[in-house]
Amino acid sequence: MNTIIEPFKIKSVEPISMTTREQRDEILRKAGYNPFNIPARDIIIDLLTDSGTSAMSAAQWAGILKGDESYAGSESFYRLEEVVRDLTGFSYFIPTHQGRAAERILFSICASQNSIIPNNSHFDTTRANIEHSGARAVDLVIDEGKIPSLIHPFKGNMNINKLEKLIDEVGPERIPLCMLTVTNNAGGGQPVSMKNVKDVSEICHSHKIPLFLDACRFAENAYFIKLREKGYKERSLKSIAKEIFSYADGCTMSAKKDGLVNIGGFLGMNNSEWAERSRNLLILTEGFPTYGGLAGRDLEAIAQGLCEVLDEDYLKYRIRSVEYLGEHLVNAGVPIIQPPGGHAIYIDAKVSLPHIPQHQFPAWALVCQLYLHAGIRGVEIGSVMFGKKDPDSGEEIPADMELVRLAIPRRVYTQSHIDYVIEAIGEVFALREKIRGLRIVKEPPYLRHFTARFEIV
Ligand code: F0G
């Protein structure tokens, strides 16, 4: 049998409320042409993010009832600590309410004005937390990772020559740690090979620089290694994941992705002094070290999710369903980042809508059109999100790429939902010369994509 089915049955459902094009036209206008302002009840298929949007299993919901809500020493903490220790091998486990809380604590204790933190590509919250500490965030992804149409098995890899050059130039003492994001979200959800993890680890360790993983999609990365890297075909996904972690000295984790939960995260590390300082900061803003800003039931759900996510049938279905969307879009002539990543498909709007100049935000315009046409919500990763303003002239400096990310929530949508998305995008593309650009009429001083308002040019 070649048909890959969703390896689960549906026990509990949430209705989707259908809207007409006329209704969506009004909704979009009211939202100031900003999909972040649209109430979720007015969305038919929500591909805004794969973060915190997973469907939990019956076993996770059972864990929710079992959660121990003790302030100190919760049973659920010990269960999760055991699962994380077994998976990562790190000596210290510190729960946080989500990934960025782990990032903030980590960079508060180890980074300062003079520091430099390399990564394949920093996710935006990681970069923001590093810059908030005064340090500089540097992206060192391989050149192949920056060419959307180029096919390469591990486009998330770090360029190790650039890493060595950076260490030589600035000196290892200015690099408190090096990071690797698995998979590389900012670069299209592309995986990092085991060889690259190992090589980066060796270079770092030869200079006594600790290596931390941004591990939020570690299981999807492990599956790509099994699929594409020599020597891993017969290995269990858990043993591959454990090997990835074995080359690192710590991790930040947003459990909202491969933890298969709606909220949660953690910090893992081997350095006892850093762990002690992290816990002291944790108490200040997140909570006591055995709950870290989460309820006991959340800890229980993460523990169960981390076990379920490494199931072979689940990951096969997961990676294939994203690839299925990508494949059909490519067949319909839609330019996407190739090959499809682990959690999302990224449409190249610069290539798709050459008639819309970057200062009229082509990717944002495409996101709006997808909503208008079919009630699908994607997210722009382009000049609204990453464009800058020239401090002197006030002129817009566009982003490098204009992408529309369609992120697939885990275990939420079935193949017919995805078929609907494929059909809708095909129809939008058939009439794409008619799509018009947008201008900003109101914007906040930072992170403007969340609240800016637009009008059609
Ligand atoms: N690192 C990566 C690679 C991420 O993708 C995210 C979140 C974070 C860290 C931060 O985790 O949200 O739990 O604080 N990414 C989401 C997304 C928001 O839509 O890609 P968080």
Side-chain angles (χ1 to χ4, degrees):
M1 291 293 291
N2 289 323
T3 307
I4 297 171
I5 60 171
E6 287 84 2
F8 48 79
K9 295 184 287 183
I10 296 165
K11 193 194 281 282
S12 172
V13 299
E14 249 184 298
I16 292 175
S17 64
M18 306 305 272
T19 46
T20 62
R21 191 186 171 102
E22 290 66 41
Q23 288 168 330
R24 290 192 294 273
D25 193 37
E26 182 56 28
I27 292 164
L28 196 56
R29 205 193 323 265
K30 259 203 201 137
Y33 295 92
N34 186 336
F36 283 101
N37 292 335
I38 301 176
R41 64 168 177 270
D42 294 327
I43 306 286
I44 295 177
I45 306 280
D46 205 347
L47 307 182
L48 184 64
T49 180
D50 65 318
S51 179
T53 50
S54 299
M56 290 207 292
S57 66
Q60 284 178 295
W61 282 109
I64 293 274
L65 275 182
K66 279 201 307 209
D68 174 2
E69 303 304 339
S70 304
Y71 189 95
S74 155
E75 240 347 89
S76 304
F77 169 81
Y78 294 117
R79 178 172 177 217
L80 178 55
E81 181 180 51
E82 183 54 40
V83 169
V84 173
R85 191 164 290 155
D86 176 45
L87 174 67
T88 67
F90 300 139
S91 311
Y92 304 99
F93 157 70
I94 299 162
T96 59
H97 81 273
Q98 62 185 83
R100 67 196 72 180
E103 292 163 4
R104 191 189 59 83
I105 290 170
L106 179 63
F107 296 116
S108 304
I109 62 156
C110 76
S112 59
Q113 209 65 39
N114 213 15
S115 315
I116 291 169
I117 317 278
N119 200 333
N120 43 0
S121 304
H122 290 279
F123 181 67
D124 50 5
T125 59
T126 322
R127 173 176 290 278
N129 274 297
I130 289 168
E131 289 173 355
H132 185 72
S133 76
R136 188 152 64 89
V138 180
D139 290 344
L140 301 177
V141 74
I142 54 170
D143 292 341
E144 291 91 330
K146 295 182 219 162
I147 309 168
S149 60
L150 190 126
I151 295 189
H152 179 288
F154 293 104
K155 273 172 111 172
N157 282 355
M158 183 181 276
N159 183 325
I160 53 173
N161 296 329
K162 282 193 185 158
L163 176 64
E164 279 179 317
K165 193 158 159 259
L166 177 77
I167 298 171
D168 279 351
E169 269 169 25
V170 305
E173 56 299 334
R174 282 183 65 193
I175 305 178
L177 63 86
C178 172
M179 288 196 95
L180 262 181
T181 304
V182 295
T183 58
N184 188 23
N185 184 11
Q190 301 292 326
V192 179
S193 71
M194 192 73 86
K195 178 168 189 316
N196 193 248
V197 178
K198 216 162 137 180
D199 287 348
V200 170
S201 167
E202 271 167 21
I203 292 168
C204 287
H205 292 153
S206 71
H207 292 96
K208 300 204 160 48
I209 298 168
L211 172 64
F212 271 62
L213 299 172
D214 178 338
C216 57
R217 298 181 181 85
F218 75 96
E220 290 167 5
N221 201 101
Y223 192 76
F224 280 119
I225 288 174
K226 185 177 170 97
L227 217 57
R228 297 179 184 169
E229 195 161 349
K230 205 163 158 256
Y232 290 92
K233 200 167 145 227
E234 304 302 331
R235 290 266 300 273
S236 77
L237 287 156
K238 185 163 174 195
S239 85
I240 297 174
K242 283 175 92 151
E243 185 180 337
I244 299 175
F245 282 109
S246 75
Y247 300 121
D249 306 283
C251 72
T252 56
M253 173 79 188
S254 166
K256 298 171 74 172
K257 287 86 171 170
D258 276 348
L260 297 175
V261 292
N262 307 119
I263 195 71
F266 58 84
L267 252 178
M269 60 181 77
N270 288 329
N271 182 324
S272 61
E273 192 223 318
W274 280 15
E276 192 180 326
R277 287 170 58 206
S278 298
R279 287 202 177 113
N280 290 337
L281 268 185
L282 187 82
I283 291 176
L284 211 57
T285 59
E286 291 277 300
F288 189 74
T290 60
Y291 72 86
L294 293 166
R297 53 180 171 269
D298 299 324
L299 303 172
E300 202 69 42
I302 300 171
Q304 180 62 27
L306 287 175
C307 299
E308 289 177 12
V309 77
L310 286 167
D311 178 73
E312 178 99 31
D313 292 330
Y314 162 72
L315 279 171
K316 184 176 179 185
Y317 136 80
R318 168 72 179 161
I319 299 302
R320 177 58 196 150
S321 56
V322 175
E323 186 186 50
Y324 174 86
L325 171 59
E327 237 169 57
H328 280 77
L329 293 183
V330 169
N331 290 343
V334 179
I336 64 167
I337 292 192
Q338 289 271 30
H343 68 294
I345 292 296
Y346 297 66
I347 300 176
D348 189 335
K350 226 198 255 183
V351 176
S352 310
L353 305 175
H355 62 288
I356 304 181
Q358 275 190 279
H359 67 268
Q360 291 179 8
F361 311 120
W364 196 273
L366 186 53
V367 168
C368 288
Q369 194 62 29
L370 280 177
Y371 177 72
L372 183 66
H373 188 74
I376 298 164
R377 176 158 65 178
V379 68
E380 187 244 33
I381 303 183
S383 290
V384 178
M385 193 181 269
F386 289 123
K388 296 192 178 82
K389 281 220 166 68
D390 185 303
D392 301 323
S393 67
E395 219 166 283
E396 286 275 339
I397 306 168
D400 290 343
M401 298 212 258
E402 300 290 345
L403 302 172
V404 173
R405 186 183 76 170
L406 306 170
I408 313 297
R410 293 170 181 78
R411 306 193 292 207
V412 171
Y413 293 117
T414 62
Q415 186 172 343
S416 62
H417 290 115
I418 299 299
D419 285 337
Y420 173 87
V421 172
I422 292 165
E423 187 181 345
I425 295 175
E427 288 176 4
V428 165
F429 261 66
L431 296 170
R432 65 182 186 275
E433 311 84 63
K434 297 220 170 94
I435 301 175
R436 285 187 283 161
L438 297 140
R439 82 168 68 85
I440 295 181
V441 289
K442 193 163 176 247
E443 66 179 297
Y446 33 71
L447 295 175
R448 64 182 178 178
H449 53 284
F450 290 126
T451 54
R453 298 186 73 84
F454 300 78
E455 64 187 19
I456 294 175
V457 175

